[in-house]
Amino acid sequence: MDDRMFRTAMGKFATGVTVIASEVNGDVHGMTANAFMSVSLDPKLILISVDGKARMNEVIKQSGKFTVNILSGDQKEMSMIFAGQIKEDKDVEFETFEGLPVIENSLVSLACDVYQVQDAGDHTLFIGEVLNLNVKDGEPLAFYEGKYKQMT
């Protein structure tokens, strides 16, 4: 098995799409991620996986807080901006929730404190304790086989 085959196999697992956001010294940083999962109900914990070389890794470690924004089906462009797939500068207006930056009109926004950090291979796993959340109705943006999909 080579790296390409492994990536192809992992792409067969359909996921939702999130934007992770955090703030350090007044600068908001965002990153598209589909490596997100619920971990525990008591306490309420979630997990995100961030590339060890990604700027977001240090931002979250410095801040000690982050948000997870689960994107709706009409937020593909937002995902592409934070995935670096749209190269021209786009101004993104963040809202504030629990003192943290969130993406407007996300299906769900979770405000989290870092609960635990674990290095795992070339990534860092951040377990976040959910402080509060917002939920809206709508259909999710999905990702499957390296492509965006809308649920119908």
Side-chain angles (χ1 to χ4, degrees):
M1 150 185 67
D2 63 11
D3 290 353
R4 173 84 323 241
M5 178 183 269
F6 183 75
R7 287 181 68 94
T8 297
M10 295 303 99
K12 298 289 184 185
F13 182 66
T15 68
V17 181
T18 72
V19 169
I20 309 304
S22 191
E23 186 173 4
V24 172
N25 300 325
D27 292 327
V28 176
H29 300 271
M31 178 193 92
T32 297
N34 64 349
F36 158 77
M37 63 181 278
S38 171
V39 173
S40 169
L41 190 57
D42 185 20
K44 291 168 183 61
L45 302 176
I46 56 91
L47 179 144
I48 59 171
S49 179
V50 178
D51 189 311
K53 296 182 206 119
R55 179 175 49 168
M56 183 58 74
N57 195 314
E58 281 307 311
V59 169
I60 293 173
K61 285 178 180 176
Q62 287 178 24
S63 171
K65 298 177 179 298
F66 62 92
T67 62
V68 177
N69 301 274
I70 300 173
L71 301 184
S72 68
D74 60 0
Q75 291 181 304
K76 177 181 172 182
E77 182 179 20
M78 191 68 66
S79 172
M80 293 175 75
I81 290 168
F82 289 104
Q85 296 168 333
I86 295 178
K87 298 302 179 193
E88 66 266 14
D89 283 340
K90 296 270 188 179
D91 266 344
V92 175
E93 292 290 325
F94 288 91
E95 294 185 336
T96 301
F97 177 64
E98 297 292 333
L100 297 170
V102 293
I103 303 289
E104 184 178 15
N105 296 320
S106 296
L107 290 181
V108 176
S109 291
L110 304 166
C112 302
D113 276 339
V114 173
Y115 182 84
Q116 189 173 349
V117 179
Q118 177 65 51
D119 289 333
D122 58 5
H123 278 60
T124 301
L125 306 178
F126 291 95
I127 297 176
E129 183 170 15
V130 179
L131 305 173
N132 205 349
L133 56 81
N134 278 331
V135 179
K136 294 183 176 145
D137 289 332
E139 296 297 320
L141 182 62
F143 200 70
Y144 177 71
E145 292 187 327
K147 295 181 179 77
Y148 292 100
K149 305 285 185 181
Q150 286 192 277
M151 305 293 285
T152 54

